[in-house]
């Protein structure tokens, strides 16, 4: 009798199955790394380049399209299965890279961005290319943040792309410079006026707080002179002082409290006797 044992199936390498190279190991692969396009392929004609690009893209779609990838297991470089979100991220990267590389103008702009480095910087007067090379490493001019910056050939191109209109001529600037100056002065005047108003409001509020503090101090002084409404004679003042002193002690210590009350009564009686003796 022959026994058959079930064995786990070997994981499928979908990249090899569709004649694709392994997925790039870098955390943020470039479009060229995703499609495994080298320098030799970049020099091909647009027709030949797009033919290779479309073939690789078609193979990628057969693996990473959400309708397909949800039903298959895809392993990473460490032979760990990708999560649904990781599959989706790869598909988005593939589509973004494909849209960029299939457009010759966008690809040229990206190549210009990719090939710019400090080592290649050479001052070229006031040209746009000189400005672009000098600012290539600023985050605001990153290819993802400002693609128009790398697609433009001149200052006029960049201005037109950025602001959707032609740049002003020298005559227009000279004609409008007084209007611009008047606008700047108006804005500056408004800002200064607002700052002065804020300063006056702060000063007024500070004076109000000082006045309230003075009134409270005067009120406390008046209440003190009036013995807090308990009479203004010397006897009543002494009595209030003794009561206040006694209230500062812990009420739980009844023995000491009673002793203190007795002492207070003696003091008051002694004072009263002194006043009687004067007469």
């Amino acid at each position: 009798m022959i026994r058959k044992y079930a064995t786990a199936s070997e994981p499928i390498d979908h990249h090899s199955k569709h004649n694709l190279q392994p997925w790039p190991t870098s955390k943020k692969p470039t479009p060229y790394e995703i499609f495994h396009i080298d320098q030799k392929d970049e020099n091909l004609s647009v027709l030949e380049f797009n033919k290779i690009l479309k073939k690789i893209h078609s193979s990628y779609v057969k693996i990473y399209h959400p309708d397909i990838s949800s039903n298959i297991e895809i392993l990473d470089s460490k032979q760990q299965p990708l999560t649904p979100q990781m599959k989706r991220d790869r598909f988005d990267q593939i589509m973004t890279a494909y849209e960029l590389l299939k457009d010759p103008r966008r690809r040229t702009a990206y190549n210009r961005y990719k090939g710019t480095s400090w080592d290649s910087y050479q001052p070229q007067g006031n040209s746009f290319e000189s400005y672009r090379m000098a600012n290539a490493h600023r985050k605001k001019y990153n290819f993802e943040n400002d693609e128009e910056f790398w697609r433009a050939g001149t200052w006029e191109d960049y201005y037109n792309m950025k602001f959707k209109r032609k740049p002003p001529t020298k005559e227009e600037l000279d004609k409008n410079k007084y209007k611009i100056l008047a606008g700047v002065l108006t804005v500056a005047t408004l800002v200064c006026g607002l700052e002065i108003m804020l300063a006056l409001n702060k000063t007024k509020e500070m004076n109000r707080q000082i006045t309230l503090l003075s009134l409270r101090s005067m009120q406390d002084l008046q209440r003190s002179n009036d013995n807090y409404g308990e009479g203004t004679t010397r006897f009543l003042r002494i009595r209030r002082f003794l009561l206040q002193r006694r209230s500062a002690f812990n009420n739980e210590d009844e023995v000491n409290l009673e002793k203190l009350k007795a002492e207070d009564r003696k003091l008051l009686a002694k004072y009263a006797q002194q006043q009687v003796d004067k007469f």
Side-chain angles (χ1 to χ4, degrees):
M1 181 177 179
I2 300 175
R3 295 183 178 179
K4 295 183 179 180
Y5 296 93
T7 58
S9 59
E10 292 292 331
I12 300 175
D13 185 352
H14 295 281
H15 279 244
S16 298
K17 180 180 177 181
H18 293 280
N19 297 320
L20 290 171
Q21 296 187 34
W23 186 263
T25 56
S26 57
K27 291 183 178 180
K28 191 176 181 182
T30 66
Y32 289 104
E33 290 175 341
I34 292 174
F35 281 85
H36 300 284
I37 295 175
D38 54 23
Q39 185 68 35
K40 178 185 67 175
D41 296 327
E42 291 184 40
N43 297 327
L44 295 174
S45 65
V46 175
L47 187 63
E48 293 175 332
F49 183 88
N50 285 344
K51 185 177 180 180
I52 295 174
L53 190 69
K54 189 173 182 180
K55 181 180 178 181
I56 299 174
H57 174 260
S58 178
S59 299
Y60 268 136
V61 170
K62 293 176 182 178
I63 301 174
Y64 290 102
H65 191 279
D67 293 340
I68 300 174
S69 63
S70 59
N71 299 317
I72 62 176
E73 184 180 61
I74 305 174
L75 304 179
D76 60 11
S77 59
K78 298 180 181 179
Q79 299 302 306
Q80 297 297 321
L82 299 181
T83 64
Q85 184 59 46
M86 294 168 68
K87 294 176 183 178
R88 181 69 196 191
D89 291 342
R90 283 193 180 185
F91 181 72
D92 291 341
Q93 291 180 48
I94 291 167
M95 297 307 298
T96 301
Y98 178 68
E99 292 296 327
L100 189 149
L101 294 177
K102 76 175 184 178
D103 186 337
R105 292 187 63 188
R106 294 189 66 194
R107 188 168 73 246
T108 300
Y110 180 78
N111 291 340
R112 185 183 291 129
Y113 162 73
K114 184 170 65 74
T116 302
S117 65
W118 285 113
D119 296 334
S120 62
Y121 172 66
Q122 294 180 355
Q124 301 176 10
N126 295 324
S127 68
F128 180 72
E129 187 62 30
S130 176
Y131 177 82
R132 178 159 51 199
M133 293 181 69
N135 292 273
H137 302 281
R138 297 176 64 186
K139 187 175 181 180
K140 64 178 292 187
Y141 292 130
N142 186 284
F143 187 81
E144 288 77 11
N145 295 335
D146 193 353
E147 185 176 329
E148 289 84 0
F149 184 72
W150 298 96
R151 291 177 60 182
T154 63
W155 282 107
E156 289 75 13
D157 291 342
Y158 181 62
Y159 191 95
N160 191 25
M161 290 179 180
K162 196 71 175 176
F163 301 103
K164 309 303 179 185
R165 61 184 177 87
K166 292 183 179 180
T169 62
K170 186 176 184 302
E171 290 75 13
E172 290 174 336
L173 290 175
D174 291 339
K175 182 180 179 180
N176 296 324
K177 63 182 180 182
Y178 293 109
K179 292 182 180 179
I180 296 172
L181 179 61
V184 171
L185 291 176
T186 301
V187 172
T189 303
L190 289 174
V191 171
C192 291
L194 289 174
E195 291 290 339
I196 292 172
M197 290 176 63
L198 289 174
L200 291 174
N201 287 335
K202 288 182 179 179
T203 303
K204 186 183 295 184
E205 179 63 21
M206 187 178 296
N207 290 334
R208 191 180 72 86
Q209 294 293 336
I210 293 173
T211 302
L212 288 175
L213 185 61
S214 298
L215 290 174
R216 290 194 188 100
S217 299
M218 292 175 63
Q219 185 180 17
D220 290 341
L221 181 60
Q222 184 63 39
R223 291 180 62 195
S224 176
N225 290 333
D226 294 341
N227 197 26
Y228 297 93
E230 296 187 10
T232 57
T233 64
R234 189 174 183 184
F235 176 81
L236 292 175
R237 289 182 183 277
I238 294 174
R239 180 174 176 274
R240 189 188 64 80
F241 168 75
L242 294 175
L243 288 172
Q244 289 291 107
R245 185 187 67 167
R246 198 162 61 232
S247 64
F249 284 82
N250 191 349
N251 292 332
E252 295 179 358
D253 194 354
E254 296 182 359
V255 176
N256 291 333
L257 188 60
E258 291 298 328
K259 183 179 179 181
L260 194 60
K261 286 182 179 180
E263 291 178 356
D264 291 347
R265 284 194 292 269
K266 288 181 180 180
L267 286 173
L268 290 173
K270 184 178 180 180
Y271 176 77
Q273 185 62 43
Q274 289 176 354
Q275 296 300 314
V276 171
D277 293 342
K278 287 182 179 180
F279 296 100

